[in-house]
Amino acid sequence: MTDLLPAPRRAADPGAVVHDLVGIGIGPFNLALAALADRVEPLRTLFLDRAPTFSWHPGLLLDGTTLQVPFLADLVTLVDPTSPWSFLAYLRAHDRLFPFYFAERLHVPRREYDHYCRWVAEALPACRFGSEVLSVAWEGDLYRIDFRDVADGEHHRVHARHVVLGIGTEPVVPEPFAHLLGDSVLHAADYLDHRADLTDAEDVTVLGSGQSGAEVFLDLLRRRTGPGGRLTWLTRSPAFAPMEYSKLGLEHFTPDYTRYFHGLPEPVRDRLLPEQWQLYKAISAETIAAIHDELYERGIAGGRVRATLMPDVTVTAARITGDGVELGCRHGEQDRAFTVRTDRVVLATGYAQRHPAMLDPLWDLISRDAAGRPLIDLDHRVALPAHVTGGLYTQNAELHTHGVGTPDLGLGAHRAATILNSVCGSAVYRLPIRTAFTTFGLAAGDTEPARRPHRRSATDPPEVRNVAVEPGSGAHRGRTAVPGRPTRSA
């Protein structure tokens, strides 16, 4: 039987050629770029990561947890369904197509997604793990990338016409806990390594009400079945709220909305993001239902539920004591201070972009906005001086310029294809012009349509076209704009 997958190729000496593109970091987003670039000949690429193998949030690969996006949001399918690196091709390679077919799953287990990405990363010859990038600099007309082999310490240097940063994010540790990480206080990113200790602890507190916080709370709730243990869940958010998952609501995760958001003034973008927290920082309805069901079952026949769930709480201080951890807290709406004493704290407080030292040689060249953040164009290219002719692109570091879809896996393939098209200077991957039914704002040149047809006469005043409408004037309120063709495809 003919194998449907291409045979792995031996990677050439990375220092022997000038690479068209070097990717730094191999998470899902740069892995999507590597997979799509693998079919673009004769593009020469190299992807470097200091980890020994591909690994995706290993501390949160809990049994029973799934992706929050459908399986079509794999590395390639939404751009190239014929790719040999699709999730369906992975299932075919592992003889799992029929089980998947009968399972009727739209959202795949997280552990399976991790294994799928690992399968792709191990097969692509451009992916080189165990390689720690030390510096990236502009040298003449090329980027110079210095990296170290983690296993033997040997140093290497390669040159590239373009660089794509996919270094991922790092765990956020709130200021009161900055110096407390250890056995008593840990980030949810390390949850599985500490789960046995947390299960046995008398009193555990989880901070944060995103999906990770909910999953950690639910896992501990199910595992801590004894009568004595207490579990507390605190969050600054106003509620333990469900993720926005309506079909039109999800259109905020389309290239159409990305283009619209990118075109808004910086102050408007900064105001919008906190207001959209339920689009990307809330909890799946299924997880909320599972937590409620578990609490309900515990209360049958007079059972006592030793669990506290409290929103609108900010931890203002924390310290380690002889009895565990003491948290100074404040309830927002009541404006009242109180103290929580607990044995263990799990910080499900999210992730943020990192500033790696490797970029120091480029840092002073990067143009920034009023808040000191890099300016990034619609093609995900960082703004640099004109003499830097090579593109410096970024993945998952442009929330402030591209909106809520930035960390979403569903836009990963489209962003990777956008970057490839920009690098190649042509549409090596055809991308759709329209991806949403919603019209997000007025396109350039759009005006309010006429109220009714009118036959002009010689006595009519001159007709005025393309009248600018001042924001907030109300001149267009309640009317549907005619969607204009974007000036460029994302």
Side-chain angles (χ1 to χ4, degrees):
M1 181 171 54
T2 302
D3 194 341
L4 298 179
L5 301 176
R9 296 167 290 166
R10 184 179 299 276
D13 177 7
V17 297
V18 173
H19 297 276
D20 297 301
L21 182 156
V22 168
I24 301 174
I26 309 177
F29 294 137
N30 258 1
L31 186 57
L33 183 63
L36 290 173
D38 187 58
R39 306 191 83 187
V40 180
E41 295 290 349
L43 194 69
R44 291 169 294 192
T45 66
L46 176 67
F47 292 82
L48 304 169
D49 196 291
R50 66 182 177 184
T53 60
F54 181 90
S55 183
W56 184 69
H57 296 301
L60 287 169
L61 295 181
L62 303 172
D63 290 339
T65 58
T66 65
L67 294 186
Q68 291 181 284
V69 293
F71 73 92
L72 290 174
D74 60 15
L75 300 173
V76 293
T77 295
L78 289 176
V79 165
D80 182 9
T82 69
S83 171
W85 309 118
S86 70
F87 182 73
L88 290 180
Y90 157 82
L91 293 174
R92 162 67 177 82
H94 293 82
D95 293 331
R96 286 176 57 81
L97 270 174
F98 272 94
F100 182 74
Y101 166 58
F102 291 120
E104 296 185 345
R105 284 189 166 188
L106 190 62
H107 298 83
V108 302
R110 270 202 212 139
R111 290 198 305 116
E112 188 169 30
Y113 178 78
D114 175 72
H115 190 253
Y116 153 65
C117 289
R118 192 185 304 266
W119 172 74
V120 175
E122 290 173 353
L124 289 174
C127 292
R128 177 167 173 160
F129 290 90
S131 302
E132 180 183 13
V133 176
L134 304 174
S135 69
V136 182
W138 181 252
E139 186 178 76
D141 57 354
L142 295 170
Y143 286 101
R144 186 192 73 229
I145 300 101
D146 292 310
F147 66 95
R148 179 180 67 88
D149 190 294
V150 174
D152 59 21
E154 185 176 352
H155 284 238
H156 302 271
R157 173 172 292 177
V158 296
H159 291 86
R161 295 183 176 88
H162 305 276
V163 169
V164 182
L165 302 173
I167 56 178
T169 54
E170 59 187 358
V172 171
V173 177
E175 193 279 329
F177 301 95
H179 304 291
L180 301 183
L181 292 180
D183 293 336
S184 299
V185 178
L186 63 131
H187 194 275
D190 301 315
Y191 172 69
L192 279 181
D193 292 337
H194 297 264
R195 182 163 67 167
D197 175 64
L198 292 166
T199 300
D200 295 337
E202 175 81 15
D203 193 301
V204 178
T205 298
V206 178
L207 297 184
S209 61
Q211 184 67 19
S212 296
E215 289 172 354
V216 167
F217 180 82
L218 177 60
D219 188 63
L220 288 173
L221 187 62
R222 286 170 170 169
R223 293 173 61 85
R224 294 160 56 84
T225 57
R230 171 172 288 279
L231 192 56
T232 302
W233 190 13
L234 305 176
T235 177
R236 292 184 305 175
S237 300
F240 297 101
M243 190 83 73
E244 165 59 67
Y245 209 75
S246 66
K247 293 178 180 179
L248 288 179
L250 288 176
E251 290 193 341
H252 286 83
F253 300 96
T254 60
D256 283 19
Y257 184 75
T258 298
R259 283 192 292 267
Y260 165 72
F261 185 90
H262 188 272
L264 293 173
E266 179 187 328
V268 178
R269 296 198 305 257
D270 288 345
R271 174 178 58 81
L272 271 178
L273 279 172
E275 297 173 357
Q276 296 174 330
W277 65 276
Q278 278 188 260
L279 285 170
Y280 68 113
K281 287 187 175 181
I283 311 167
S284 73
E286 293 79 8
T287 305
I288 291 176
I291 290 171
H292 190 276
D293 290 347
E294 189 70 25
L295 293 170
Y296 181 83
E297 291 285 337
R298 294 287 184 91
I300 293 176
R304 186 180 179 191
V305 181
R306 290 180 58 81
T308 301
L309 293 74
M310 188 180 298
D312 198 25
V313 172
T314 300
V315 176
T316 57
R319 66 188 184 100
I320 304 291
T321 70
D323 298 326
V325 186
E326 183 177 282
L327 307 178
C329 305
R330 179 167 293 277
H331 191 278
E333 291 179 352
Q334 291 183 320
D335 193 23
R336 291 177 56 185
F338 64 102
T339 300
V340 172
R341 292 177 177 85
T342 186
D343 298 322
R344 300 286 187 273
V345 176
V346 181
L347 303 173
T349 44
Y351 299 81
Q353 285 85 29
R354 63 181 81 194
H355 168 60
M358 74 177 82
L359 290 182
D360 286 349
L362 292 175
W363 197 245
D364 290 339
L365 297 176
I366 296 174
S367 299
R368 298 180 179 82
D369 63 16
R373 300 164 300 194
L375 294 175
I376 303 170
D377 74 9
L378 194 55
D379 287 346
H380 308 278
R381 182 169 175 162
V382 178
L384 293 168
H387 75 274
V388 182
T389 55
L392 177 66
Y393 298 87
T394 184
Q395 302 221 59
N396 197 15
E398 63 273 29
L399 186 69
H400 61 292
T401 56
H402 288 66
V404 294
T406 297
D408 191 75
L409 293 175
L411 280 174
H414 188 279
R415 175 169 51 202
T418 299
I419 292 172
L420 278 175
N421 288 351
S422 178
V423 165
C424 294
S426 62
V428 293
Y429 282 104
R430 184 181 65 83
L431 298 177
I433 295 297
R434 189 76 186 264
T435 55
F437 291 118
T438 305
T439 298
F440 295 106
L442 294 168
D446 282 349
T447 59
E448 181 179 311
R451 293 178 182 272
R452 58 182 177 271
H454 173 70
R455 185 183 300 275
R456 293 180 53 77
S457 69
T459 59
D460 286 339
E463 184 178 5
V464 178
R465 296 184 182 273
N466 295 328
V467 178
V469 179
E470 292 296 326
S473 68
H476 61 278
R477 187 170 299 141
R479 301 198 176 271
T480 302
V482 178
R485 182 183 178 91
T487 56
R488 63 194 298 181
S489 172

